[in-house]
Amino acid sequence: MVSLLFIGNSYTFYNELNGMVDALLEEGAAAEGDPAWADVETTRLAGGGYTFEMHVDKVGVDPAWTDALTGGTAWRYGILQEQSQIPGFYGEDPIWESSAAAAVQLDDWLEAGGAGTFLLMTWGRRDGDSQNTWLYPDFPTMQAELTEGYTMYRDRLSTEARPVWIIPAGPAFAAIYDEALAAGEIPQQGLFGRLYDGDGSHPSLIGSYLIACVSYAALTGHDPVGLSAPQGLDPADVQIVQQTATEVVIDGDWPMPWRAPEDTGDPGDSGGDDSGSGDDSATGDAGTADSGSNDSTLGDAGGVDSGPPVKPAGGAPAGCGCSGGGALAWLALLPLPLWSRRRAGGRRA
């Protein structure tokens, strides 16, 4: 039995991502004759807008988090996904530093239980982030920042004896974006645009399937081409998505546990050409904790990963999946203080 622990937010629980990965792993094990992945069980800890800090704070308070992270479960890997904007706030920004410290704690718990760690690198928003246009004016710029931020997480967590790996979902989105640009197309009007739900932030079904294919390839080193896809997807889109996952992971140079060290490199700031702009605002109801065990949801998966977390006067992290004019009003105030802290901390080029 291979047990995987997914830790994230709505980006993870949209379209039951862990269930998709589970199905691909078991089907792929049969197709490849790989018994190591023939029997897979996934558990999901996720809540709307959850950050790494919020997950850490649940341990010792919520039994699902406490048992999963400190109860001695023999996970093969923990797969960590941070809130969608925070990883790009690197450069000694207090929000990023708090996130990185929480990532270290989550990784320490996983290591203590004998598990390896993957970071699920997320994707830039389809048209950039309207809440932080100074930093994320468009998809390629946002993706480059996220790629750099996740790479910094990886480097901070990794040791020579125990490397931490990246599932490069965001770069796979970027590969489809770049392919459309190279063909003289507007990416948002083709497959790239269809990777997103209507809010331009969360993945659509085909978007989640791309993430699942990238995850499958990163975990196993096997090519996802020819594996099954959820019903209702365009076969042509499925083929492109599978091929893209192969190109980014199997044919790429991201360090992976199954790849010889001499065949790896540091991808650096990937994310496509710096072109295209637009606004996107993700709103929704703040969800309660969603702790899925064996691909079953025990909580309310109603939240979304929208605004960045802030520390209110009381000091506790605030949720991000907000709705209503009042919530959007305080979100509108975020870019200036974040910009000030980022500059004070020495924003990296």
Side-chain angles (χ1 to χ4, degrees):
M1 170 73 71
V2 174
S3 295
L4 301 176
L5 176 63
F6 286 75
I7 297 177
N9 54 37
S10 53
Y11 274 27
T12 292
F13 67 63
Y14 255 52
N15 303 308
E16 300 286 341
L17 174 65
N18 59 302
M20 282 191 189
V21 175
D22 188 323
L24 288 175
L25 288 170
E26 294 190 354
E27 180 186 356
E32 298 286 344
D34 183 355
W37 295 95
D39 188 7
V40 180
E41 178 179 87
T42 64
T43 297
R44 183 182 66 231
L45 300 177
Y50 265 40
T51 66
F52 286 163
E53 280 192 274
M54 294 169 76
H55 285 291
V56 169
D57 290 343
K58 297 286 280 187
V59 175
V61 176
D62 189 299
W65 272 256
T66 304
D67 291 347
L69 287 164
T70 64
T73 303
W75 308 110
R76 173 73 64 84
Y77 292 112
I79 298 170
L80 310 181
Q81 175 251 312
E82 177 60 296
Q83 190 271 348
S84 63
Q85 296 149 311
I86 291 174
F89 296 161
Y90 61 86
E92 299 181 17
D93 186 286
I95 292 177
W96 190 90
E97 288 295 333
S98 295
S99 169
V104 169
Q105 179 61 78
L106 293 169
D107 183 56
D108 284 348
W109 281 324
L110 291 169
E111 182 179 11
T117 300
F118 271 91
L119 296 165
L120 175 54
M121 181 190 292
T122 57
W123 44 96
R125 299 186 181 185
R126 182 189 61 212
D127 304 306
D129 178 9
S130 63
Q131 296 165 5
N132 295 286
T133 54
W134 54 274
L135 179 62
Y136 300 140
D138 50 42
F139 167 79
T141 303
M142 185 170 186
Q143 187 56 56
E145 297 283 4
L146 294 176
T147 298
E148 179 70 10
Y150 269 98
T151 301
M152 291 176 69
Y153 286 132
R154 180 200 66 189
D155 293 346
R156 182 169 295 197
L157 298 177
S158 294
T159 64
E160 185 174 352
R162 184 179 174 276
V164 168
W165 320 101
I166 286 175
I167 295 174
F173 275 61
I176 291 176
Y177 180 98
D178 290 345
E179 186 68 23
L181 282 185
E185 302 168 354
I186 298 173
Q188 288 81 357
Q189 295 180 1
L191 175 57
F192 172 77
R194 295 195 296 277
L195 296 176
Y196 294 85
D197 198 16
D199 63 5
S201 174
H202 291 84
S204 64
L205 185 61
I206 187 65
S208 290
Y209 184 64
L210 171 60
I211 301 159
C213 286
V214 172
S215 300
Y216 166 81
L219 289 165
T220 67
H222 296 319
D223 184 337
V225 173
L227 296 181
S228 299
Q231 291 185 349
L233 295 180
D234 185 327
D237 287 351
V238 168
Q239 184 177 24
I240 294 172
V241 158
Q242 292 175 340
Q243 290 172 341
T244 299
T246 298
E247 292 165 3
V248 170
V249 180
I250 306 299
D251 300 335
D253 59 0
W254 291 90
M256 293 293 170
W258 40 265
R259 198 192 304 277
E262 59 269 20
D263 294 334
T264 66
D266 188 346
D269 288 340
S270 63
D273 299 329
D274 185 5
S275 61
S277 62
D279 290 332
D280 167 58
S281 177
T283 62
D285 297 331
T288 59
D290 164 35
S291 57
S293 177
N294 303 340
D295 196 26
S296 64
T297 299
L298 304 181
D300 179 5
V304 300
D305 178 19
S306 53
V310 296
K311 291 290 185 68
C320 306
C322 304
S323 62
L328 292 179
W330 69 256
L331 284 172
L333 299 176
L334 287 172
L336 181 57
L338 286 175
W339 170 244
S340 299
R341 287 195 294 269
R342 182 74 172 272
R343 291 194 65 180
R347 180 170 183 261
R348 292 180 53 172

